Amino acid sequence: MVVPQLCIRYDWKLNCVVLPKSANPAHMKSNAEIDFVISDEDMDKLKKFTPVDYGKSGVFPVFGGKM
């Protein structure tokens, strides 16, 4: 499992529409391999995760928590 797979699986478990994008065929294949389970305990931890600082990118609404 790699970070993109975890992100895709997390969104999938939240019943979100997931539209991963990649021009790399190997990444496309890897992104589709989400046949693992995120435990309820780990989902709770992920839901509570709040980033501390996005630096200069914090001015954008999606990173600055303004959405």
Side-chain angles (χ1 to χ4, degrees), residues 49-66:
F49 175 76
T50 53
V52 176
D53 182 15
Y54 277 107
K56 292 187 284 183
S57 296
V59 299
F60 297 107
V62 71
F63 296 120
K66 299 172 187 140

Side-chain angles (χ1 to χ4, degrees), residues 14-52:
L14 291 175
N15 294 317
C16 294
V17 175
V18 181
L19 302 170
K21 180 181 174 186
S22 178
N24 182 322
H27 289 170
M28 288 180 206
K29 182 178 182 206
S30 174
N31 287 344
E33 295 170 356
I34 58 168
D35 57 342
F36 57 91
V37 175
I38 301 174
S39 70
D40 291 338
E41 180 182 345
D42 287 340
M43 281 297 290
D44 289 339
K45 289 178 186 176
L46 289 169
K47 287 178 187 176
K48 293 175 185 172
F49 175 76
T50 53
V52 176

Side-chain angles (χ1 to χ4, degrees), residues 1-14 16-20 31 34 36 38 43 46:
M1 172 183 49
V2 292
V3 173
Q5 289 171 321
L6 177 61
C7 295
I8 293 166
R9 181 65 181 162
Y10 173 77
D11 289 340
W12 187 264
K13 189 161 179 166
L14 291 175
C16 294
V17 175
V18 181
L19 302 170
N31 287 344
I34 58 168
F36 57 91
I38 301 174
M43 281 297 290
L46 289 169

